[in-house]
Amino acid sequence: MTTQGIADRLVALCRKQDWETAQKELLAADAVSIEPRESPGFKKETKGLDAIVEKGRQFSAKLEQVYSLTVSDPVVAPSSFACTMGMDATIKGRGRTQLNELCVYEVKDGKIISERFYP
């Protein structure tokens, strides 16, 4: 799959909140996920598809209600792409929260090898 194809598929799945399908379908087995900072229950850097999927499950379990989710169209280069994601949600222990991030992905051999999130 091309970088454009991966970007379009990721955006479509994220807009449906189908995070796990996106991860299992598009991430390389040795992918790395980098958060802006460590937070309770989450490391700054997560390595490997299984660990990234588990991190996603833990995050989803903390969502009490999602009021809205926005995912921009991707901006695509030959081996990377970026999009913005925004979520208005109630998170256990934090209450109603606005999350907005720039998400940057690196692609190699038809898979996402890294994802990095910027507030």
Side-chain angles (χ1 to χ4, degrees):
M1 189 179 305
T2 66
T3 301
Q4 182 71 56
I6 292 168
D8 291 341
R9 179 76 175 143
L10 179 77
V11 165
L13 289 168
C14 289
R15 286 176 176 163
K16 294 191 309 187
Q17 299 180 47
D18 195 352
W19 317 112
E20 194 165 324
T21 298
Q23 292 165 334
K24 289 181 175 180
E25 185 178 312
L26 301 172
L27 270 63
D30 60 349
V32 177
S33 179
I34 303 169
E35 297 289 339
R37 68 192 70 76
E38 284 195 33
S39 61
F42 297 102
K43 297 183 222 176
K44 181 170 174 55
E45 187 172 299
T46 305
K47 295 181 181 180
L49 178 58
D50 292 340
I52 293 169
V53 168
E54 181 56 31
K55 178 182 81 162
R57 288 178 183 158
Q58 290 175 11
F59 177 75
S60 291
K62 291 182 178 191
L63 294 174
E64 291 181 350
Q65 185 171 357
V66 176
Y67 304 99
S68 67
L69 172 74
T70 58
V71 183
S72 72
D73 290 337
V75 176
V76 181
S79 63
S80 60
F81 66 95
C83 61
T84 59
M85 291 191 198
M87 182 182 290
D88 177 10
T90 298
I91 300 173
K92 290 177 187 172
R94 290 178 60 184
R96 192 162 179 174
T97 305
Q98 301 285 326
L99 302 172
N100 293 291
E101 295 181 319
L102 173 66
C103 311
V104 180
Y105 302 89
E106 185 178 357
V107 176
K108 183 177 179 184
D109 298 327
K111 292 286 186 177
I112 295 170
I113 59 169
S114 72
E115 59 181 14
R116 187 169 193 144
F117 306 103
Y118 299 90

